[in-house]
């Protein structure tokens, strides 16, 4: 009878140990999955912020280009008006 009790107690201890081990393994995997999810969200938010900064930079670049084009148009109008005004004075008769 002592032998059956020892076998039964050993079996119960083994089963409890397996259940506890499985639970700890599951808990560890769950924590890693949660941490990965948080890291993925953080990375996505960083990428989203970078995309917004790039878009703002492109927008600012286009604004600068538009300003330069506007300045060039004004210069061309001045040159054109100067040429039209002085068109008759440069001809020798």
């Amino acid at each position: 009878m002592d032998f059956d009790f020892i076998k039964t107690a050993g079996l119960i201890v083994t089963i409890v140990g397996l259940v506890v081990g499985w639970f700890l393994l599951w808990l560890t995997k769950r924590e890693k999955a949660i941490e990965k999810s948080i890291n993925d969200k953080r990375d996505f938010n960083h990428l989203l912020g970078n995309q917004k900064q790039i878009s703002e930079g492109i927008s600012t670049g286009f604004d600068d280009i538009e300003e330069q084009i506007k300045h060039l148009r004004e210069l061309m109008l001045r040159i054109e008006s100067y040429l039209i005004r002085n068109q008759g004075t440069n001809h020798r008769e």
Side-chain angles (χ1 to χ4, degrees):
M1 183 163 164
D2 286 334
F3 185 68
D4 288 339
F5 176 74
I6 293 173
K7 285 191 330 186
T8 306
L11 181 64
I12 292 173
V13 168
T14 303
I15 290 173
V16 169
L18 287 173
V19 169
V20 169
W22 177 83
F23 178 74
L24 292 175
L25 181 65
W26 174 80
L27 192 62
T28 303
K29 286 185 178 183
R30 182 172 178 257
E31 288 175 2
K32 286 181 182 179
I34 291 171
E35 183 178 342
K36 184 181 182 309
S37 174
I38 290 170
N39 289 337
D40 289 345
K41 287 178 184 178
R42 186 190 70 233
D43 290 345
F44 178 77
N45 288 333
H46 281 300
L47 291 173
L48 188 62
N50 289 344
Q51 183 66 32
K52 286 179 183 179
Q53 288 178 346
I54 289 170
S55 296
E56 290 171 0
I58 290 172
S59 175
T60 302
F62 279 128
D63 291 343
D64 291 343
I65 290 171
E66 287 178 6
E67 188 66 34
Q68 290 176 0
I69 290 172
K70 182 180 175 184
H71 181 68
L72 289 174
R73 280 186 186 151
E74 291 172 359
L75 287 175
M76 289 174 58
L77 284 173
R78 287 184 197 168
I79 292 169
E80 183 181 16
S81 63
Y82 175 78
L83 290 175
I84 290 172
R85 185 177 60 220
N86 294 327
Q87 185 177 9
T89 59
N90 290 337
H91 293 296
R92 294 184 183 171
E93 295 179 18

